[in-house]
Amino acid sequence: MLAGYLTDLALADPRRGHPVALFGQGAATLEQVTYRDSKVAGAVHTGLLVGAVCAVGATVRARVWALAAATWVALGGTSLARTGLDMAELLARDDIDAARGLLPSLCGRDPARLDEAGLTRAALESVAENTSDAHVAPLLWAAAGGVPGVLGYRAINTLDSMIGHRSPRYQQFGWAAARLDDAANYVGARVTAVLVVLCAPLVGGSPWNAIRAWRRDAARHPSPNAGVVEAAFAGALGVQLGGPTHYHHELQIRPTLGDGRVPGVGDLRRAVALSRAVQAGAAVCAALIAYRRRP
């Protein structure tokens, strides 16, 4: 796992032929056959894909290189941090058009509706949420379930990003993927929040405010996991997140998280630094868990 983490740190995601992208293409092709506007059809679609990935992972012999490769494939922490810094640089130069073009690399919001403040908040919230989804959770699944565990998790999370949103097409069909992703990320989100509390002083943040925002605000967020992580980041950085959130298919009025200032470009850079610190802490935690589980 540490080898996979260090490979992601050095190389990030491959630009072409990424296995996750290939999985997404396969899932989209299968959807042409399985799609029905029903929860049952969505559950079958999700079960077939996740089951197939776990089965492939289970056939791989438990060797160091296999777990290292699977961990690297599942991780996206370095690409997340680099994209977050790229967004901060564009916003610092007031290049709003380029920032809008980059935002889909971080989240599924409608960039055309966002000004500088909206783009900054969207990027910061995405850095926070994906610190858990793209790094902490897959490391924990690698520690707990080895190759099939980490690959299965990445399949679940990818399907959630593809069909787990509440658009008219996927309100029913994506229900199973969204609920499965909630379950798969439950522990990871809370471990991430704990690491945010511990790492907050490294970026000049407040552990106590992170704990307070987590306990007070997280439950008001529509996601049982994203709210935990975003609230902890908001408290740690002394900013306020949440509020009106524009997606292509709807406008959500989300509750506010934290009670600080409106986040700026400097706060986005601090969020990336905090994410990197949490990622390193998660790698150590996962390695310790795996070591304790050895026969």
Side-chain angles (χ1 to χ4, degrees):
M1 284 187 305
L2 289 176
Y5 163 67
L6 293 173
T7 302
D8 177 69
L9 198 62
L11 303 178
D13 294 327
R15 294 184 180 273
R16 296 181 179 179
H18 196 298
V20 174
L22 297 177
F23 170 81
Q25 294 170 11
T29 300
L30 181 64
E31 184 182 327
Q32 298 176 11
V33 177
T34 58
Y35 180 80
R36 304 288 188 280
D37 189 20
S38 76
K39 292 181 179 179
V40 173
V44 170
H45 177 80
T46 301
L48 287 172
L49 288 164
V50 175
V53 169
C54 290
V56 170
T59 64
V60 179
R61 296 182 61 184
R63 293 179 178 176
V64 170
W65 69 264
L67 184 55
T71 302
W72 176 41
V73 164
L75 293 181
T78 298
S79 293
L80 172 68
R82 291 178 181 176
T83 306
L85 290 178
D86 289 343
M87 177 66 77
E89 180 63 26
L90 292 173
L91 292 170
R93 299 202 309 257
D94 293 325
D95 194 344
I96 302 301
D97 288 339
R100 286 172 175 159
L102 182 60
L103 187 66
S105 299
L106 286 170
C107 60
R109 301 185 191 182
D110 184 359
R113 296 176 175 269
L114 300 178
D115 58 9
E116 179 180 346
L119 289 165
T120 303
R121 177 171 72 85
L124 200 158
E125 289 174 354
S126 181
V127 167
E129 180 179 0
N130 285 295
T131 297
S132 175
D133 290 4
H135 194 89
V136 178
L139 279 173
L140 295 178
W141 276 100
V147 175
V150 69
L151 293 183
Y153 168 78
R154 178 47 62 206
I156 292 168
N157 190 246
T158 302
L159 286 172
D160 177 62
S161 68
M162 294 178 67
I163 65 173
H165 43 83
R166 297 177 180 177
S167 66
R169 176 177 174 84
Y170 294 123
Q171 181 75 32
Q172 300 297 318
F173 187 75
W175 180 87
R179 299 292 77 77
L180 190 58
D181 184 72
D182 287 344
N185 279 296
Y186 187 87
V187 173
R190 284 142 187 85
V191 171
T192 302
V194 170
L195 290 171
V196 167
V197 171
L198 296 176
C199 295
L202 298 178
V203 296
S206 169
W208 309 116
N209 286 343
I211 293 172
R212 183 176 62 180
W214 174 8
R215 294 184 61 185
R216 184 192 64 197
D217 299 335
R220 298 189 291 137
H221 194 281
S223 167
N225 299 321
V228 169
V229 181
E230 291 179 19
F233 264 78
L237 298 173
V239 300
Q240 186 176 88
L241 302 177
T245 303
H246 291 274
Y247 292 94
H248 291 284
H249 56 278
E250 66 175 346
L251 168 65
Q252 295 183 7
I253 306 300
R254 293 185 175 179
T256 55
L257 308 173
D259 47 14
R261 62 188 176 276
V262 174
V265 174
D267 297 309
L268 178 55
R269 291 194 175 105
R270 290 172 64 219
V272 172
L274 181 56
S275 175
R276 288 187 185 275
V278 169
Q279 291 175 31
V284 174
C285 290
L288 291 173
I289 292 171
Y291 179 77
R292 292 294 298 272
R293 292 185 68 249
R294 292 176 65 188

